Amino acid sequence: MDEFTLIQYIQDKQKLHQINLNNKNIPITIGDDAAAVMPPDNHEIIITSDTLISGVHFFKDSNPKDIGHKVLAVNLSDLAAMGATPAWFTLNLTLPEINKAWVTKFCDGLFSLAKKNNITLVGGDTTKSLENSISITITAIGYAPKNKAITRSKANPGDGIYLSGEVGLAGYLIEQIYNNKNLDNKLKQEYIKLINNPMPQNQLGINLRDIASSCIDISDGLCADLYHILNLSNVSANLYMDKFKIPKMLNKLTQDQALEHILYGGDDYQLCFTAPKNVSQKLVNNKTINNQIFKIGEVIASKSEKNSELFLIKNKNKIKLKNIGYQHFSNN
Ligand code: ADP
Ligand code: MG
Protein backbone atom coordinates (compact mmCIF):
# COMPACT_ATOMS: atom_id res chain seq x y z
CA MET A 1 0.00 0.00 0.00
CA ASP A 2 1.42 3.43 -0.91
CA GLU A 3 0.79 6.78 0.78
CA PHE A 4 -2.20 7.84 -1.30
CA THR A 5 -3.85 4.44 -1.16
CA LEU A 6 -3.48 4.64 2.60
CA ILE A 7 -5.12 8.07 2.78
CA GLN A 8 -8.01 6.81 0.65
CA TYR A 9 -8.23 3.70 2.82
CA ILE A 10 -8.48 5.81 5.98
CA GLN A 11 -11.23 7.93 4.36
CA ASP A 12 -13.16 4.79 3.40
CA LYS A 13 -12.89 3.51 6.96
CA GLN A 14 -14.28 6.79 8.26
CA LYS A 15 -17.25 6.48 5.86
CA LEU A 16 -17.87 2.93 7.04
CA HIS A 17 -18.25 4.23 10.58
CA GLN A 18 -21.00 6.57 9.35
CA ILE A 19 -19.31 9.66 10.64
CA ASN A 20 -21.01 12.78 9.32
CA LEU A 21 -18.93 13.90 6.32
CA ASN A 22 -21.39 16.13 4.47
CA ASN A 23 -21.65 18.42 7.38
CA LYS A 24 -22.03 22.04 6.30
CA ASN A 25 -19.47 22.80 9.02
CA ILE A 26 -16.76 21.27 6.77
CA PRO A 27 -16.73 23.14 3.42
CA ILE A 28 -13.30 21.68 2.47
CA THR A 29 -11.99 18.32 3.67
CA ILE A 30 -9.30 15.66 2.99
CA GLY A 31 -7.85 15.89 -0.54
CA ASP A 32 -7.04 19.59 -0.67
CA ASP A 33 -3.94 21.37 0.62
CA ALA A 34 -5.83 22.21 3.81
CA ALA A 35 -9.31 21.81 5.24
CA ALA A 36 -11.87 24.53 6.00
CA VAL A 37 -14.23 24.30 8.96
CA MET A 38 -17.02 26.54 10.28
CA PRO A 39 -17.84 26.88 13.98
CA PRO A 40 -21.40 27.96 14.92
CA ASP A 41 -21.97 31.72 15.29
CA ASN A 42 -20.66 33.29 18.50
CA HIS A 43 -18.45 30.33 19.30
CA GLU A 44 -14.72 30.16 19.89
CA ILE A 45 -12.54 27.51 18.29
CA ILE A 46 -10.69 25.36 20.87
CA ILE A 47 -7.59 23.51 19.61
CA THR A 48 -5.41 20.85 21.22
CA SER A 49 -2.73 18.47 20.00
CA ASP A 50 -1.14 15.35 21.49
CA THR A 51 1.43 12.89 20.23
CA LEU A 52 1.77 9.23 21.18
CA ILE A 53 5.10 7.48 20.57
CA SER A 54 5.58 3.71 20.70
CA GLY A 55 7.54 2.64 23.76
CA VAL A 56 6.87 5.98 25.47
CA HIS A 57 3.07 6.42 25.49
CA PHE A 58 1.99 2.93 24.59
CA PHE A 59 3.56 -0.51 24.92
CA LYS A 60 4.94 -1.84 21.62
CA ASP A 61 2.75 -4.95 21.78
CA SER A 62 -0.46 -2.93 22.20
CA ASN A 63 -3.40 -3.88 20.02
CA PRO A 64 -3.53 -1.31 17.14
CA LYS A 65 -7.26 -0.90 17.81
CA ASP A 66 -6.46 0.31 21.32
CA ILE A 67 -3.74 2.65 20.03
CA GLY A 68 -6.32 4.21 17.67
CA HIS A 69 -8.67 4.66 20.61
CA LYS A 70 -6.05 6.10 22.93
CA VAL A 71 -4.56 8.69 20.58
CA LEU A 72 -8.00 10.21 19.98
CA ALA A 73 -9.07 9.75 23.62
CA VAL A 74 -6.20 11.82 25.05
CA ASN A 75 -7.04 14.66 22.66
CA LEU A 76 -10.77 14.46 23.37
CA SER A 77 -9.92 14.56 27.06
CA ASP A 78 -8.22 17.96 26.60
CA LEU A 79 -11.33 19.26 24.81
CA ALA A 80 -13.44 17.86 27.68
CA ALA A 81 -11.37 19.75 30.24
CA MET A 82 -12.03 22.98 28.32
CA GLY A 83 -15.77 22.33 28.07
CA ALA A 84 -15.49 22.27 24.26
CA THR A 85 -17.81 20.42 21.88
CA PRO A 86 -15.64 18.08 19.76
CA ALA A 87 -15.94 18.74 16.01
CA TRP A 88 -12.89 18.04 13.79
CA PHE A 89 -9.47 16.43 13.93
CA THR A 90 -6.33 15.85 11.90
CA LEU A 91 -4.16 12.73 11.99
CA ASN A 92 -0.39 12.68 11.47
CA LEU A 93 0.94 9.17 11.07
CA THR A 94 4.67 8.37 11.10
CA LEU A 95 5.09 4.65 10.47
CA PRO A 96 8.05 2.38 9.60
CA GLU A 97 5.89 0.66 6.94
CA ILE A 98 2.27 0.52 5.87
CA ASN A 99 0.84 -2.66 7.30
CA LYS A 100 -2.76 -3.05 6.15
CA ALA A 101 -3.83 -5.26 9.06
CA TRP A 102 -2.37 -2.74 11.53
CA VAL A 103 -4.06 0.22 9.81
CA THR A 104 -7.41 -1.58 9.67
CA LYS A 105 -7.44 -2.25 13.41
CA PHE A 106 -6.09 1.21 14.19
CA CYS A 107 -8.91 2.82 12.17
CA ASP A 108 -11.47 0.66 13.92
CA GLY A 109 -10.46 1.94 17.36
CA LEU A 110 -10.03 5.50 16.11
CA PHE A 111 -13.34 5.86 14.28
CA SER A 112 -15.41 3.98 16.86
CA LEU A 113 -14.48 6.62 19.42
CA ALA A 114 -14.80 9.41 16.81
CA LYS A 115 -18.36 8.28 16.03
CA LYS A 116 -19.30 8.26 19.74
CA ASN A 117 -18.08 11.83 20.10
CA ASN A 118 -19.29 13.17 16.77
CA ILE A 119 -15.82 14.29 15.64
CA THR A 120 -14.74 14.13 11.96
CA LEU A 121 -11.29 13.54 10.43
CA VAL A 122 -10.56 16.45 8.03
CA GLY A 123 -6.88 16.02 7.15
CA GLY A 124 -3.42 15.00 8.26
CA ASP A 125 -0.04 13.89 7.07
CA THR A 126 1.60 10.55 6.40
CA THR A 127 5.33 9.98 6.70
CA LYS A 128 7.81 7.13 7.04
CA SER A 129 9.88 6.77 10.21
CA LEU A 130 13.58 6.03 9.95
CA GLU A 131 13.69 3.69 12.86
CA ASN A 132 11.24 1.03 13.81
CA SER A 133 9.09 3.45 15.78
CA ILE A 134 5.55 4.68 15.46
CA SER A 135 4.57 8.27 16.16
CA ILE A 136 0.97 9.44 15.96
CA THR A 137 -0.20 13.01 16.40
CA ILE A 138 -3.80 14.12 16.51
CA THR A 139 -4.88 17.73 16.54
CA ALA A 140 -8.44 17.95 17.80
CA ILE A 141 -10.61 21.00 17.24
CA GLY A 142 -13.80 21.86 19.07
CA TYR A 143 -15.83 24.91 19.96
CA ALA A 144 -17.50 26.58 22.91
CA PRO A 145 -19.78 29.60 23.22
CA LYS A 146 -17.75 32.81 23.44
CA ASN A 147 -16.08 33.20 26.87
CA LYS A 148 -17.50 29.89 28.11
CA ALA A 149 -14.43 27.68 27.74
CA ILE A 150 -13.32 26.42 31.17
CA THR A 151 -9.72 27.30 32.05
CA ARG A 152 -7.24 26.44 34.79
CA SER A 153 -7.03 29.95 36.19
CA LYS A 154 -10.33 30.83 37.84
CA ALA A 155 -10.55 28.64 40.95
CA ASN A 156 -11.56 30.64 44.06
CA PRO A 157 -11.14 30.09 47.81
CA GLY A 158 -14.27 28.31 49.07
CA ASP A 159 -14.80 26.30 45.84
CA GLY A 160 -15.18 22.54 46.17
CA ILE A 161 -12.74 20.24 44.32
CA TYR A 162 -14.27 17.31 42.43
CA LEU A 163 -13.22 14.25 40.46
CA SER A 164 -15.29 12.76 37.62
CA GLY A 165 -14.29 9.23 38.64
CA GLU A 166 -11.68 7.13 40.42
CA VAL A 167 -8.00 7.75 39.70
CA GLY A 168 -4.84 5.78 40.40
CA LEU A 169 -5.57 2.56 38.55
CA ALA A 170 -3.64 3.28 35.33
CA GLY A 171 -0.50 4.28 37.26
CA TYR A 172 -0.71 1.11 39.34
CA LEU A 173 -1.07 -1.08 36.24
CA ILE A 174 1.86 0.61 34.49
CA GLU A 175 4.00 0.02 37.57
CA GLN A 176 2.96 -3.65 37.68
CA ILE A 177 4.00 -4.12 34.06
CA TYR A 178 7.41 -2.51 34.63
CA ASN A 179 8.24 -3.85 38.07
CA ASN A 180 6.53 -7.20 38.42
CA LYS A 181 8.83 -9.51 36.48
CA ASN A 182 6.63 -12.52 37.28
CA LEU A 183 3.51 -10.93 35.84
CA ASP A 184 1.55 -13.50 33.87
CA ASN A 185 1.45 -12.59 30.15
CA LYS A 186 -2.33 -12.83 29.93
CA LEU A 187 -2.66 -10.48 32.88
CA LYS A 188 -0.14 -8.12 31.29
CA GLN A 189 -2.24 -7.95 28.12
CA GLU A 190 -5.36 -7.23 30.21
CA TYR A 191 -3.54 -4.41 32.00
CA ILE A 192 -2.31 -2.92 28.71
CA LYS A 193 -5.88 -3.01 27.39
CA LEU A 194 -7.15 -1.11 30.44
CA ILE A 195 -4.37 1.48 30.20
CA ASN A 196 -5.06 2.01 26.48
CA ASN A 197 -8.81 2.49 26.82
CA PRO A 198 -9.51 5.61 28.89
CA MET A 199 -12.95 7.16 28.38
CA PRO A 200 -12.78 10.91 27.80
CA GLN A 201 -15.44 12.86 29.71
CA ASN A 202 -16.71 15.13 26.93
CA GLN A 203 -20.39 15.32 27.85
CA LEU A 204 -19.46 16.16 31.43
CA GLY A 205 -17.06 18.87 30.21
CA ILE A 206 -19.86 20.48 28.19
CA ASN A 207 -22.25 20.26 31.16
CA LEU A 208 -19.67 21.95 33.38
CA ARG A 209 -19.41 25.10 31.22
CA ASP A 210 -21.72 27.11 33.47
CA ILE A 211 -20.79 25.30 36.68
CA ALA A 212 -17.03 24.77 37.04
CA SER A 213 -14.71 27.64 37.92
CA SER A 214 -11.71 25.66 36.63
CA CYS A 215 -11.01 22.24 35.16
CA ILE A 216 -8.14 19.98 34.08
CA ASP A 217 -7.89 16.40 32.85
CA ILE A 218 -5.67 14.08 34.84
CA SER A 219 -2.93 12.86 32.55
CA ASP A 220 0.18 13.36 34.69
CA GLY A 221 -1.30 12.63 38.13
CA LEU A 222 -3.84 14.25 40.47
CA CYS A 223 -1.27 16.29 42.43
CA ALA A 224 0.72 17.47 39.43
CA ASP A 225 -2.41 18.44 37.50
CA LEU A 226 -4.22 20.03 40.44
CA TYR A 227 -1.08 22.09 41.14
CA HIS A 228 -1.47 23.55 37.62
CA ILE A 229 -4.91 24.85 38.62
CA LEU A 230 -3.64 26.13 41.98
CA ASN A 231 -0.61 27.90 40.50
CA LEU A 232 -2.55 29.54 37.67
CA SER A 233 -5.44 30.54 39.96
CA ASN A 234 -3.05 31.68 42.72
CA VAL A 235 -4.82 29.64 45.41
CA SER A 236 -4.09 26.61 47.63
CA ALA A 237 -6.16 23.55 48.55
CA ASN A 238 -6.98 20.90 51.13
CA LEU A 239 -7.76 17.34 50.05
CA TYR A 240 -9.44 14.88 52.43
CA MET A 241 -8.14 11.34 52.58
CA ASP A 242 -11.51 9.96 53.72
CA LYS A 243 -13.21 11.38 50.59
CA PHE A 244 -11.03 9.48 48.11
CA LYS A 245 -12.45 6.47 46.33
CA ILE A 246 -9.97 3.64 46.04
CA PRO A 247 -10.16 1.66 42.76
CA LYS A 248 -11.12 -1.97 43.44
CA MET A 249 -7.86 -3.37 42.08
CA LEU A 250 -5.95 -1.28 44.63
CA ASN A 251 -7.84 -2.74 47.61
CA LYS A 252 -5.13 -5.34 48.17
CA LEU A 253 -2.55 -2.60 48.76
CA THR A 254 -1.94 -0.80 52.05
CA GLN A 255 -3.71 2.54 52.40
CA ASP A 256 -0.42 4.40 51.87
CA GLN A 257 0.47 2.42 48.74
CA ALA A 258 -2.98 3.04 47.25
CA LEU A 259 -2.69 6.71 48.15
CA GLU A 260 0.61 7.03 46.24
CA HIS A 261 -1.11 5.83 43.07
CA ILE A 262 -4.18 8.02 43.59
CA LEU A 263 -2.10 11.15 44.18
CA TYR A 264 0.77 10.64 41.77
CA GLY A 265 -0.32 8.08 39.13
CA GLY A 266 -1.15 9.46 35.68
CA ASP A 267 -3.02 8.28 32.58
CA ASP A 268 -6.52 8.05 34.07
CA TYR A 269 -8.04 10.92 32.04
CA GLN A 270 -10.71 11.78 34.58
CA LEU A 271 -11.59 15.45 35.03
CA CYS A 272 -10.62 17.34 38.17
CA PHE A 273 -12.59 20.56 38.55
CA THR A 274 -13.52 23.24 41.03
CA ALA A 275 -17.00 24.69 41.53
CA PRO A 276 -18.45 27.33 43.89
CA LYS A 277 -20.03 26.09 47.12
CA ASN A 278 -23.57 27.08 46.14
CA VAL A 279 -23.57 24.68 43.17
CA SER A 280 -21.53 21.91 44.73
CA GLN A 281 -24.23 19.78 46.39
CA LYS A 282 -26.58 20.18 43.41
CA LEU A 283 -23.77 18.90 41.24
CA VAL A 284 -23.21 15.72 43.22
CA ASN A 285 -26.98 15.08 43.42
CA ASN A 286 -27.59 15.70 39.73
CA LYS A 287 -27.48 12.21 38.25
CA THR A 288 -27.91 13.49 34.69
CA ILE A 289 -24.58 15.30 34.87
CA ASN A 290 -22.53 12.34 35.99
CA ASN A 291 -23.29 9.94 38.80
CA GLN A 292 -19.60 9.20 39.31
CA ILE A 293 -18.68 12.71 40.52
CA PHE A 294 -17.38 13.03 44.06
CA LYS A 295 -15.90 15.81 46.12
CA ILE A 296 -12.31 15.42 47.35
CA GLY A 297 -11.46 18.79 48.86
CA GLU A 298 -11.68 22.55 48.95
CA VAL A 299 -9.85 25.52 47.53
CA ILE A 300 -8.37 27.82 50.20
CA ALA A 301 -6.51 31.12 50.06
CA SER A 302 -2.70 30.90 49.78
CA LYS A 303 -0.68 32.14 52.74
CA SER A 304 1.36 34.34 50.40
CA GLU A 305 1.30 35.52 46.77
CA LYS A 306 2.57 33.05 44.18
CA ASN A 307 2.93 30.26 46.74
CA SER A 308 0.29 27.65 46.02
CA GLU A 309 0.23 24.72 48.43
CA LEU A 310 -1.67 21.46 48.33
CA PHE A 311 -2.41 19.67 51.62
CA LEU A 312 -3.79 16.25 52.46
CA ILE A 313 -5.85 15.94 55.63
CA LYS A 314 -5.30 12.38 56.83
CA ASN A 315 -6.28 11.16 60.31
CA LYS A 316 -6.35 14.76 61.55
CA ASN A 317 -2.80 15.34 60.26
CA LYS A 318 -2.13 17.95 57.61
CA ILE A 319 0.52 16.81 55.10
CA LYS A 320 1.91 19.04 52.36
CA LEU A 321 1.80 17.22 49.02
CA LYS A 322 4.63 17.31 46.52
CA ASN A 323 4.19 18.83 43.11
CA ILE A 324 5.41 15.81 41.16
CA GLY A 325 4.06 13.79 38.30
CA TYR A 326 5.16 12.54 34.92
CA GLN A 327 7.40 14.97 33.02
CA HIS A 328 9.19 14.43 29.72
CA PHE A 329 12.91 15.32 29.70
CA SER A 330 13.15 15.08 33.51
CA ASN A 331 15.84 12.79 34.87
CA ASN A 332 14.02 11.55 37.92
P1 ADP B 1 0.46 18.07 0.91
O1 ADP B 1 1.58 17.42 0.19
O2 ADP B 1 -0.21 19.16 0.18
O3 ADP B 1 0.79 18.40 2.33
P2 ADP B 1 -0.49 15.45 1.42
O4 ADP B 1 -0.06 14.68 0.23
O5 ADP B 1 0.33 15.38 2.66
O6 ADP B 1 -0.69 16.96 1.00
O7 ADP B 1 -1.96 15.05 1.81
C1 ADP B 1 -2.99 15.01 0.84
C2 ADP B 1 -4.31 15.15 1.53
O8 ADP B 1 -4.52 14.03 2.37
C3 ADP B 1 -4.43 16.36 2.42
O9 ADP B 1 -5.76 16.85 2.33
C4 ADP B 1 -4.14 15.84 3.79
O10 ADP B 1 -4.80 16.60 4.79
C5 ADP B 1 -4.70 14.42 3.69
N1 ADP B 1 -3.97 13.47 4.55
C6 ADP B 1 -2.67 13.09 4.49
N2 ADP B 1 -2.38 12.18 5.42
C7 ADP B 1 -3.52 11.95 6.12
C8 ADP B 1 -3.86 11.12 7.20
N3 ADP B 1 -2.98 10.33 7.82
N4 ADP B 1 -5.14 11.17 7.65
C9 ADP B 1 -6.04 11.98 7.05
N5 ADP B 1 -5.79 12.78 6.03
C10 ADP B 1 -4.53 12.77 5.56
MG1 MG C 1 1.48 16.84 3.65
Side-chain angles (χ1 to χ4, degrees):
M1 204 189 262
D2 65 14
E3 181 188 340
F4 292 105
T5 316
L6 172 69
I7 297 168
Q8 186 58 50
Y9 189 75
I10 292 173
Q11 276 180 277
D12 293 345
K13 287 281 165 220
Q14 168 152 260
K15 262 199 204 120
L16 267 182
H17 280 81
Q18 297 177 326
I19 289 167
N20 191 1
L21 306 172
N22 299 320
N23 196 322
K24 62 182 185 318
N25 291 346
I26 312 172
I28 305 170
T29 189
I30 299 173
D32 226 302
D33 285 311
V37 297
M38 288 275 288
D41 284 349
N42 294 315
H43 282 65
E44 292 168 343
I45 289 270
I46 315 283
I47 305 174
T48 184
S49 192
D50 260 314
T51 298
L52 297 192
I53 295 172
S54 54
V56 180
H57 302 97
F58 58 87
F59 293 96
K60 282 223 166 90
D61 48 353
S62 291
N63 183 331
K65 184 177 174 190
D66 298 337
I67 300 171
H69 174 98
K70 186 163 186 185
V71 67
L72 184 58
V74 299
N75 279 279
L76 283 168
S77 182
D78 283 326
L79 291 184
M82 300 297 292
T85 304
W88 312 285
F89 71 104
T90 61
L91 172 67
N92 290 26
L93 281 175
T94 304
L95 306 170
E97 53 168 358
I98 300 178
N99 173 330
K100 190 170 171 185
W102 190 94
V103 174
T104 304
K105 289 185 192 152
F106 174 83
C107 284
D108 197 19
L110 179 77
F111 291 125
S112 298
L113 185 64
K115 173 73 182 168
K116 272 195 198 113
N117 287 278
N118 205 14
I119 188 166
T120 309
L121 179 67
V122 297
D125 202 18
T126 306
T127 47
K128 184 174 160 61
S129 62
L130 284 180
E131 275 155 37
N132 199 24
S133 78
I134 297 175
S135 167
I136 310 161
T137 299
I138 280 184
T139 299
I141 306 166
Y143 51 78
K146 226 173 156 184
N147 299 322
K148 289 285 185 188
I150 312 165
T151 64
R152 299 175 175 183
S153 59
K154 296 194 181 75
N156 287 303
D159 288 355
I161 302 172
Y162 298 86
L163 280 180
S164 64
E166 294 169 350
V167 299
L169 179 60
Y172 166 74
L173 298 178
I174 291 168
E175 192 193 80
Q176 286 296 300
I177 292 170
Y178 279 118
N179 294 353
N180 186 350
K181 298 282 173 257
N182 300 323
L183 187 64
D184 171 70
N185 193 46
K186 209 169 142 226
L187 212 51
K188 180 180 165 193
Q189 292 310 319
E190 265 174 45
Y191 288 2
I192 291 178
K193 190 149 204 71
L194 282 171
I195 295 161
N196 283 337
N197 281 283
M199 260 309 154
Q201 302 289 314
N202 293 84
Q203 191 51 52
L204 174 64
I206 293 168
N207 291 339
L208 288 175
R209 269 177 200 159
D210 290 311
I211 294 172
S213 49
S214 73
C215 186
I216 194 165
D217 70 317
I218 303 195
S219 51
D220 296 333
L222 174 61
C223 278
D225 288 320
L226 185 51
Y227 259 112
H228 288 309
I229 287 185
L230 302 182
N231 286 327
L232 285 171
S233 299
N234 208 0
V235 291
S236 294
N238 288 331
L239 300 180
Y240 300 100
M241 174 69 211
D242 56 355
K243 305 259 188 208
F244 284 131
K245 288 190 182 162
I246 298 176
K248 238 198 205 136
M249 286 176 84
L250 304 193
N251 276 342
K252 53 183 175 250
L253 305 182
T254 65
Q255 194 192 50
D256 281 349
Q257 286 170 332
L259 195 59
E260 278 288 304
H261 292 296
I262 290 171
L263 294 172
Y264 301 111
D267 265 312
D268 289 299
Y269 299 96
Q270 293 293 343
L271 297 182
C272 176
F273 62 93
T274 60
K277 244 194 184 130
N278 57 349
V279 294
S280 51
Q281 206 45 47
K282 270 193 262 168
L283 193 65
V284 175
N285 292 340
N286 187 339
K287 298 279 185 269
T288 59
I289 288 191
N290 182 333
N291 56 13
Q292 304 286 325
I293 289 177
F294 57 98
K295 187 175 174 182
I296 55 166
E298 270 140 13
V299 179
I300 56 173
S302 294
K303 279 197 216 101
S304 59
E305 262 303 281
K306 301 222 161 80
N307 181 26
S308 296
E309 294 177 293
L310 179 59
F311 299 101
L312 178 71
I313 314 292
K314 185 185 166 200
N315 309 329
K316 297 201 176 127
N317 295 320
K318 192 167 175 173
I319 306 155
K320 186 170 168 184
L321 296 175
K322 294 168 280 186
N323 184 1
I324 53 168
Y326 186 77
Q327 275 188 39
H328 292 270
F329 303 110
S330 74
N331 298 318
N332 43 38

